Amino acid sequence: QVQLVESGGGLVQPGGSLRLSCAASGFTFSSYAMSWYRQAPGKERELVAAISSAGGSTNYADSMKGRFTISRDDAKNTAYLQMNSLKPEDTAVYYCNAQKLVYNELGPKTYDYWGQGTQVTVSS
């Protein structure tokens, strides 16, 4: 059974920090690219950061560059999102995503898994 379980969210003051964790099980974690998305009330879900399956490549949304850091520990089957200098506009539900593209005799197939989300609230 595939599971992605986020943790680490909560209430933090502006300028503060949080570290989100995404614990994975039920699939070969090391072969999946991992991403963090977020969705604020009334807004569409947006990509926050992504890290390749080998961990050698990362990608960030422009508004997160320099403040957020994505990482992974394949030995622990866990992905992380370190968030610093948090702003009220970072308030959202943060979701973990695992994705893998496989080519077989039938063509490309995408494996795509989501966690249940963790709430991050930045407020004084």
Side-chain angles (χ1 to χ4, degrees):
Q1 180 184 359
V2 172
Q3 275 195 313
L4 292 174
V5 179
E6 300 98 333
S7 61
L11 174 64
V12 63
Q13 292 187 341
S17 298
L18 282 175
R19 188 175 85 152
L20 305 183
S21 298
C22 173
S25 61
F27 62 99
T28 307
F29 178 80
S30 61
S31 66
Y32 281 69
M34 298 299 298
S35 301
W36 287 94
Y37 286 75
R38 71 184 185 185
Q39 187 166 21
K43 294 188 176 181
E44 293 187 354
R45 190 172 296 190
E46 63 174 344
L47 176 68
V48 174
I51 186 167
S52 62
S53 58
S57 176
T58 57
N59 184 43
Y60 298 90
D62 287 343
S63 61
M64 289 69 157
K65 287 180 181 177
R67 299 191 299 126
F68 292 7
T69 302
I70 189 170
S71 61
R72 63 188 298 155
D73 186 337
D74 289 350
K76 296 182 178 180
N77 287 351
T78 302
Y80 304 96
L81 183 68
Q82 177 67 44
M83 305 186 294
N84 299 327
S85 303
L86 284 162
K87 306 174 182 180
E89 51 264 42
D90 294 319
T91 295
V93 178
Y94 284 71
Y95 297 90
C96 176
N97 171 264
Q99 193 173 88
K100 176 179 170 180
L101 179 62
V102 175
Y103 290 90
N104 57 30
E105 64 277 7
L106 298 178
K109 178 178 173 63
T110 299
Y111 294 85
D112 195 45
Y113 307 127
W114 290 90
Q116 82 290 347
T118 185
Q119 176 70 47
V120 171
T121 302
V122 185
S123 175
S124 55

